[in-house]
Amino acid sequence: MNTLRCRKKLTVFLLLFNIILIFSQETLIKDQDYWFYYDKGYLESDWTNLKNLTNWQKGLTPIGYGDKKLTTTISYGGDKEKKHITKYFKKNIVIDDDYIAYEFKLKRDDGAVVYVNGKELFRDNMPNITIGKTTLASSTTKGAEEKKYYQHFFEKNIFVKGKNTISISIHQAYEYSSDCIFSLELIGHKNPEILSFVLENKDRTNNELSNKIEILNSKLEHDKIAIQKESLESTNYNLKIIVLLIIVIFILGIFGYYFTLLSFKKTNKEKNKKIASLKNKNNNRDKKIMMLTTNLLHNKQYFKEIKADIKGLKTEDKKTVKTIINQIDSVLERDEDWKTLTEHFNALHNNFYDKLIEKHPNITETELRHCMFIKLHMQTKEIARIFMIDPRSVQTARYRIKKKLNLEESENLRDYLLNLD
């Protein structure tokens, strides 16, 4: 009786959690949304502030050229061997709700720079230099990378209340590139757990800034030597003035860097505590879902074994035996346990089912369940027992799922499913 009450409480809790999760995010820009685009050549550096889009065209994403999965095809210029390096995209959105953080899911081939209200927000696969109209992407996007959405998380202050403009430039790695692809999804989050991803994004940005600081320090040292050389050719008075200025700037830079480092360490320590707390909560929830999985799915196996035992009974009351077997069959045929498990799993793993179906709509319900157990790190024997099949059939099912997900032979199915969140 106590176990039953605990299960009911757990079911109610997970149901409430699922409802909260569903209403804690909103897709503000989705794939297959309309964007303004410019494909008639190059624009000047202030193009992000353009408000008159009379010369621009409008189309649904994915937008680009040279790929069969595009919804809107654009021009690459008049020369196939010397295509335009840069394509331009714009979209206006209205932010009328309070979100904790925003998630950008960017598909780009090859590189991209994203601006919000005229200011650069982030760049992907682009060099750390001033971006111009003919700046090349850092590398070529090939194979599975062309289908990938690159996630970036930011705090709520990147947008203003009301109308905002998102501007994106897509850059090719070389002029004779065979294809160009662009699409973007924007999701507003209200769930505080998303802050862990924002912190990871900030840590990555801070590392990039540290690298830039090292480059700037190296450049500063180079400039210092050049100035000293020129100063030696000048008067002693000018030499003293220049050296003094360099020393003052250098000292101020050290002090500024020192205090910035102290502030960063303090902030990072607090962030790490929050991340540790969130990870602990997630681990506890994963344990609960595993326990629920075992209880729900092994019950049917027990019913099957009981059915086999009843069939072996020698009794004259065959009508009663048949009635019992029919009742057991009705329990085995019921799919409510799977439905309950699916809802709980979806709640704990950021709508894993919905995302997998959205990316691969031809996947079957049984294959979805296989994917769920693989993501839960269940062994082959455990999965075989739940599905009441031979372990070799589980291996065959995994191979079939891998083919349906269009994964390369060298790609790991479990790694793909773990990274789907």
Side-chain angles (χ1 to χ4, degrees), residues 40 49 63 85 87 110 113 120 132 139 153 164 176 203 210 219 240 278 298 303 319 321 380 386 388 392 409:
K40 299 177 183 177
N49 296 316
I63 301 176
I85 297 296
K87 296 292 180 288
D110 296 301
V113 184
E120 180 180 335
S139 61
F153 297 86
N164 293 264
Y176 51 92
D203 288 341
S210 296
K219 189 176 183 300
K240 291 178 182 178
L278 289 173
H298 283 82
F303 271 112
K319 184 177 181 181
V321 171
T380 300
I386 290 170
M388 305 175 203
R392 286 176 295 183
E409 192 167 337

Side-chain angles (χ1 to χ4, degrees), residues 238-253:
N238 289 336
L239 176 62
K240 291 178 182 178
I241 296 278
I242 293 172
V243 171
L244 181 62
L245 286 173
I246 292 173
I247 292 173
V248 170
I249 291 171
F250 187 71
I251 292 173
L252 289 175

Side-chain angles (χ1 to χ4, degrees), residues 29-276:
I29 299 175
K30 63 180 185 301
D31 193 18
Q32 295 286 315
D33 255 359
Y34 279 100
W35 284 75
F36 286 98
Y37 66 89
Y38 187 85
D39 63 349
K40 299 177 183 177
Y42 295 114
L43 296 173
E44 297 304 320
S45 58
D46 63 343
W47 72 273
T48 57
N49 296 316
L50 281 177
K51 299 190 183 302
N52 184 3
L53 303 180
T54 306
N55 296 328
W56 292 53
Q57 299 182 67
K58 199 173 183 181
L60 288 168
T61 58
I63 301 176
Y65 60 79
D67 194 296
K68 295 180 180 179
K69 296 182 179 180
L70 295 171
T71 304
T72 303
T73 301
I74 62 177
S75 171
Y76 54 71
D79 190 346
K80 186 181 293 185
E81 297 301 318
K82 198 173 182 180
K83 300 182 178 71
H84 296 151
I85 297 296
T86 308
K87 296 292 180 288
Y88 307 89
F89 304 90
K90 272 183 173 288
K91 186 174 184 64
N92 295 321
I93 63 169
V94 176
I95 304 295
D96 56 5
D97 204 346
D98 292 322
Y99 300 100
I100 293 176
Y102 296 93
E103 176 186 358
F104 286 80
K105 296 174 71 175
L106 173 66
K107 181 186 285 188
R108 46 74 180 161
D109 183 358
D110 296 301
V113 184
V114 179
Y115 306 83
V116 173
N117 297 328
K119 295 181 179 180
E120 180 180 335
L121 179 63
F122 69 92
R123 57 182 69 180
D124 201 323
N125 195 30
M126 294 294 294
N128 289 324
I129 60 174
T130 301
I131 302 298
K133 54 190 176 183
T134 57
T135 303
L136 296 172
S138 298
S139 61
T140 304
T141 303
K142 296 180 180 179
E145 292 180 344
E146 294 181 343
K147 303 175 184 178
K148 183 177 179 180
Y149 281 87
Y150 296 86
Q151 293 176 290
H152 298 267
F153 297 86
F154 297 93
E155 293 176 309
K156 63 179 181 180
N157 57 6
I158 62 170
F159 291 113
V160 298
K161 197 82 170 180
K163 183 179 178 181
N164 293 264
T165 301
I166 299 176
S167 307
I168 299 173
S169 59
I170 298 294
H171 299 253
Q172 301 304 106
Y174 42 83
E175 290 181 328
Y176 51 92
S177 175
S178 62
D179 56 0
C180 170
I181 303 171
F182 161 72
S183 186
L184 183 135
E185 293 183 13
L186 175 63
I187 301 171
H189 290 276
K190 293 182 179 180
N191 189 342
E193 292 185 6
I194 198 68
L195 292 176
S196 61
F197 294 96
V198 176
L199 293 176
E200 289 178 5
N201 196 70
K202 276 196 169 185
D203 288 341
R204 185 168 59 250
T205 303
N206 288 334
N207 290 333
E208 292 173 357
L209 289 174
S210 296
N211 292 333
K212 288 182 180 180
I213 289 173
E214 290 179 6
I215 294 172
L216 289 173
N217 285 337
S218 299
K219 189 176 183 300
L220 179 63
E221 290 296 325
H222 181 271
D223 292 343
K224 179 180 175 182
I225 294 172
I227 292 172
Q228 288 176 343
K229 182 179 178 181
E230 292 177 2
S231 298
L232 289 173
E233 298 173 357
S234 185
T235 63
N236 290 335
Y237 177 76
N238 289 336
L239 176 62
K240 291 178 182 178
I241 296 278
I242 293 172
V243 171
L244 181 62
L245 286 173
I246 292 173
I247 292 173
V248 170
I249 291 171
F250 187 71
I251 292 173
L252 289 175
I254 291 175
F255 274 105
Y257 181 76
Y258 175 75
F259 287 114
T260 301
L261 188 61
L262 285 179
S263 176
F264 171 75
K265 285 183 176 179
K266 183 179 179 181
T267 304
N268 198 42
K269 189 175 181 180
E270 294 174 355
K271 290 176 182 176
N272 288 336
K273 287 183 179 179
K274 291 181 180 178
I275 291 172

Side-chain angles (χ1 to χ4, degrees), residues 345-356:
F345 185 85
N346 230 11
L348 287 174
H349 290 273
N350 200 17
N351 290 326
F352 171 83
Y353 254 51
D354 298 338
K355 290 179 180 178
L356 192 57

